[in-house]
Amino acid sequence: MQANAFGNSPYSIRNFQPSDFDKYALLLAEAEKLEPTGRCASPLVVANQLERPNYFPEQDLFILLIDNIVGYIDVKPELGIGRVVLDCWVHPEHRRKGLATKLLSYATDRANKLGATVVHANIGEDNTVAMKVLHGLGFSPVRRYLELEVDITRVGGLDKAESDPDCRHLQPGEEAKLTQLQNCAFAGSWGYNPNTVEEITFRIHSNTFSRDDIILIYKKDKAIGYCWTGISCEEGKPSIRKGRILMLGVIPDYRLKGIGEKLVLAGLARLRSKGLQFTELTVDSENKAACTLYRSIGFEVQVNTFWYQKVINQETGAR
């Protein structure tokens, strides 16, 4: 797509092209340096993200240009629940010029073409400028999430969890089992888009994970829950890197029976084995059972984030 300038502005916006990769990766690294989020912005990881299933960067990713790439907006389709999720960043030197608003208009047009019913964006509690922009464009807050952290060295029971006979790592060829387990555990949860075997397989075989990072818990021969662990950012020394519990789920019939606690402890034991001291996770503030569990283990709230929503196309929102 040819770059589309607006008015007399020196800026233009167009779709990402493969030739943009090096400059785009540099922008993401700069964004992480200036405003850290814990995401890894190495070229290898960025390339991997652009190749994920059901995502087409030449249609779903827009870049903001002047003499270089100075911003972007990423449109992540989750059409199983009728939504797209936006990720937008503009370099601080180019803010307060209405550029994020322009990017959002491109993203909304793309969401319409995809047939999405809602557009979502996740904003940190201190990002008042982004909140103001979203409010002005018809977005409203619909959910509050908590970012939690725990010092693993202060958590008891990890040695026992590490040798729990009911837990084991994901085995080769179990991608379909994990997909079914995850979709069952999160069915009906706000913002959860059911995964396909292709998507789970891609993620497992990406350069940031291994099967040993995924722990399944069994009742006899039946998998009833799982804990998927990772590292917030691969950059830096092990002493300053942080572990992350990416997803943790228990199928409905086995909830409130201590299974979740076993999985959290098994996940923390896995991260401890990598030499990590701190672990983070994200939880929906309305998931009271999960919040109570994590706090009982020692997790503490670090920050709140808010999901903003704009309904488009139809009158129904995401589940």
Side-chain angles (χ1 to χ4, degrees):
M1 177 184 288
Q2 186 175 4
N4 185 9
F6 25 94
N8 295 321
S9 171
Y11 297 94
S12 60
I13 295 173
R14 64 167 170 81
N15 287 104
F16 171 87
Q17 298 295 325
S19 59
D20 297 318
F21 176 79
D22 289 343
K23 291 181 179 179
Y24 176 63
L26 285 173
L27 179 71
L28 294 186
E30 179 76 356
E32 189 60 29
K33 178 181 178 181
L34 294 174
E35 297 172 333
T37 64
R39 292 186 295 187
C40 185
S42 72
L44 189 64
V45 172
V46 173
N48 185 262
Q49 287 299 308
L50 293 177
E51 295 171 355
R52 62 188 185 267
N54 304 312
Y55 174 77
F56 305 95
E58 293 176 50
Q59 300 174 51
D60 297 329
L61 176 59
F62 297 89
I63 55 175
L64 173 68
L65 303 111
I66 183 165
D67 296 323
N68 208 337
I69 302 176
V70 296
Y72 71 90
I73 193 162
D74 189 19
V75 182
K76 179 184 177 184
E78 294 188 348
L79 300 180
I81 55 172
R83 79 169 182 174
V84 299
V85 177
L86 305 183
D87 177 24
C88 180
W89 192 79
V90 175
H91 194 284
E93 293 179 2
H94 302 273
R95 292 177 184 171
R96 300 185 183 277
K97 299 179 181 180
L99 299 172
T101 300
K102 293 288 187 182
L103 285 166
L104 282 163
S105 69
Y106 277 75
T108 302
D109 286 345
R110 175 60 180 158
N112 272 297
K113 290 176 182 177
L114 287 166
T117 60
V118 294
V119 179
H120 281 155
N122 187 235
I123 305 296
E125 62 184 342
D126 59 344
N127 196 345
T128 55
V129 173
M131 291 180 183
K132 184 177 180 179
V133 170
L134 290 176
H135 274 296
L137 293 172
F139 285 76
S140 57
V142 292
R143 213 75 168 191
R144 179 171 62 94
Y145 272 53
L146 309 176
E147 297 293 329
L148 308 181
E149 183 178 287
V150 70
D151 183 340
I152 300 175
T153 63
R154 297 185 177 183
V155 178
L158 297 190
D159 292 337
K160 182 179 179 181
E162 203 166 21
S163 59
D164 191 330
D166 294 330
C167 295
R168 67 168 175 79
H169 300 293
L170 188 75
Q171 301 299 304
E174 291 189 327
E175 292 84 358
K177 176 187 287 187
L178 177 59
T179 304
Q180 182 180 17
L181 178 60
Q182 180 166 293
N183 288 340
C184 179
F186 285 92
S189 297
W190 186 89
Y192 179 71
N193 183 56
N195 284 280
T196 66
V197 175
E198 179 189 16
E199 289 166 336
I200 291 293
T201 301
F202 175 83
R203 196 172 185 190
I204 291 171
H205 293 280
S206 70
N207 45 48
T208 54
F209 296 111
S210 77
R211 292 188 188 88
D212 288 344
D213 293 323
I214 304 167
I215 301 164
L216 304 184
I217 190 166
Y218 282 79
K219 181 71 172 180
K220 295 184 178 179
D221 295 328
K222 181 179 181 179
I224 59 174
Y226 76 103
C227 179
W228 194 327
T229 67
I231 297 176
S232 291
C233 184
E234 292 286 354
E235 306 295 333
K237 299 177 181 179
S239 60
I240 61 174
R241 288 156 57 201
K242 292 182 180 180
R244 175 164 280 273
I245 293 179
L246 298 164
M247 294 196 78
L248 185 146
V250 177
I251 62 176
D253 289 346
Y254 291 88
R255 291 174 186 164
L256 302 178
K257 297 181 179 180
I259 304 301
E261 181 179 9
K262 280 189 171 186
L263 283 167
V264 174
L265 295 178
L268 292 176
R270 165 66 180 165
L271 293 167
R272 184 183 65 172
S273 74
K274 292 185 173 186
L276 301 167
Q277 180 177 350
F278 295 96
T279 292
E280 304 168 318
L281 60 81
T282 303
V283 63
D284 186 344
S285 66
E286 295 188 23
N287 188 343
K288 302 303 182 184
C291 290
T292 298
L293 168 62
Y294 296 139
R295 287 187 171 116
S296 72
I297 290 171
F299 282 88
E300 297 180 349
V301 177
Q302 303 300 305
V303 69
N304 294 272
T305 67
F306 296 90
W307 281 97
Y308 277 72
Q309 173 176 289
K310 182 176 182 178
V311 178
I312 59 175
N313 284 330
Q314 300 178 17
E315 295 183 355
T316 55
R319 295 184 291 274

